[in-house]
Amino acid sequence: MIGDEGSGFWIARRVVQAVARDLDHRGPHTALTELVLGLVDMRSERQIPGRDQRLMDLLAWAHARRPVELAVAARLVAEVEEDPVARGIIQLAVDRLQNTLTALGEEMGPLVLGGSVVAPGSPVGERLVEQLDCEVRHARDGVAGSALIGLRGLGVLADEAARGRVLLTLEQGM
């Protein structure tokens, strides 16, 4: 929850905040509202006169979720990426991830990206890769990808046989 800027949870928090601002008229209307409300159990018993019940249900739903559970809302930005609010969240996530990478130093690469936020086809991942000036690879398992890059850095041939050994080792928990 701290320092995970650009992650699924980080994006989901911004999505929920944007929907809350839409519902209470503090922010612009967004196509994210309908999508997020589709995830919410709309049966809250908490009633506040003058407050949109959907907002109360949204808040109850969001506060009842662990970060990993709330992250499901992050994928919604891809469904409406032409929406100005969603587009802004996407760009902010890209900027935050780029800042994190910049903190690693000027010379980078190759870089292994893993996770749904930066997967091929993800608007965050696609925009991030466009901004990077290094070799980028995608890994379904970030640990395996990192291990193979580490092996290559040590001069070990990181071919398909090495990949198979690394994956087998990870499966065995060693």
Side-chain angles (χ1 to χ4, degrees):
M1 291 174 48
I2 299 171
D4 200 14
E5 296 177 338
S7 71
F9 170 69
W10 186 93
I11 293 169
R13 277 190 56 216
R14 270 128 199 96
V15 167
V16 171
Q17 289 168 343
V19 170
R21 285 191 300 270
D22 179 8
L23 291 173
D24 71 6
H25 309 290
R26 290 180 300 121
H29 174 69
T30 174
L32 290 165
T33 299
E34 184 177 328
L35 295 175
V36 171
L37 290 179
L39 300 173
V40 175
D41 179 15
M42 304 298 277
R43 293 179 282 144
S44 173
E45 295 179 19
R46 186 172 178 201
Q47 300 277 333
I48 297 179
R51 272 287 167 107
D52 188 324
Q53 185 60 42
R54 297 173 303 166
L55 176 60
M56 303 313 298
D57 291 337
L58 170 70
L59 297 176
W61 174 83
H63 287 286
R65 301 278 161 304
R66 295 178 314 155
V68 70
E69 295 168 333
L70 188 62
V72 69
R75 68 177 166 74
L76 301 176
V77 295
E79 293 183 32
V80 292
E81 71 179 284
E82 293 308 314
D83 176 82
V85 173
R87 194 169 48 243
I89 292 169
I90 291 167
Q91 189 56 55
L92 191 56
V94 170
D95 293 345
R96 297 301 169 97
L97 290 168
Q98 181 68 46
N99 287 342
T100 298
L101 293 172
T102 300
L104 296 175
E106 291 183 27
E107 270 190 56
M108 282 193 296
L111 180 65
V112 177
L113 298 177
S116 60
V117 170
V118 293
S122 155
V124 172
E126 297 291 326
R127 291 181 189 166
L128 179 63
V129 169
E130 288 171 8
Q131 292 182 14
L132 296 174
D133 188 27
C134 67
E135 179 184 351
V136 176
R137 297 187 181 177
H138 292 276
R140 280 183 273 153
D141 185 326
V143 174
S146 298
L148 290 170
I149 285 177
L151 288 172
R152 187 175 353 139
L154 293 171
V156 176
L157 179 62
D159 59 6
E160 283 301 310
R163 180 179 175 274
R165 288 191 304 273
V166 167
L167 290 173
L168 180 61
T169 301
L170 290 171
E171 286 176 16
Q172 293 173 347
M174 299 179 151

